[in-house]
Each structure stands twice: as C-alpha cells, then as structure tokens.
Amino acid sequence: MNNATKFRMVCIVLLWIALCYLLVSSGPFTLKTLFVIVASGIIVFVPLYKKHFRGKSNNTDEKHDKGNGRA
C-alpha cells in the first residue's frame, strides 16, 4: 500500500469519526444513534477492507484466468 492510499484511508477514517461525533453530540445517545453509527461503519469500511486488505496475494492470477474459456 503506497502513501497516497494510506493518506486517503486516514482522511476517510477521520471524516467518519467527525461525522459520528456530530451525530452523537447533536442529540441524546439512543439505540437508533448506535445503529446509524454501526451501519455507516459497515458501509464505509467493509469495501475498503475488501479492496485493500483481504486476499492480497492470491487474487492477482484469478482475475486474469476468469472468462478466458479454459477449463
């Protein structure tokens, strides 16, 4: 992972934390607020995890072999 990718990920994390802080500080902390924080975390971080951390070594050859008609 290069420095630009790390910088983008840090910016996304900091932005998500700031938005969660605004949500929590704007009203009472309820289960609905907790659900919104957890759901937004899943929506933001699962695609990042899938793209940058899961299966780094074994997915490069599989992408090239799919759909070429070989058995």
Side-chain angles (χ1 to χ4, degrees):
M1 193 174 346
N2 59 12
N3 288 336
T5 304
K6 289 178 186 178
F7 178 74
R8 284 187 300 231
M9 291 179 75
V10 167
C11 287
I12 290 171
V13 169
L14 291 176
L15 180 63
W16 182 76
I17 290 172
L19 291 173
C20 288
Y21 173 75
L22 287 173
L23 180 67
V24 170
S25 66
S26 67
F29 189 78
T30 61
L31 286 177
K32 183 179 177 183
T33 306
L34 180 65
F35 174 75
V36 169
I37 291 172
V38 170
S40 68
I42 290 170
I43 291 170
V44 169
F45 296 116
V46 167
L48 288 176
Y49 171 78
K50 284 184 177 181
K51 183 175 181 180
H52 295 290
F53 296 111
R54 189 180 75 175
K56 279 221 177 238
S57 62
N58 60 1
N59 66 359
T60 56
D61 294 334
E62 292 174 6
K63 286 181 182 177
H64 298 294
D65 290 340
K66 289 183 180 177
N68 60 6
R70 294 185 209 163

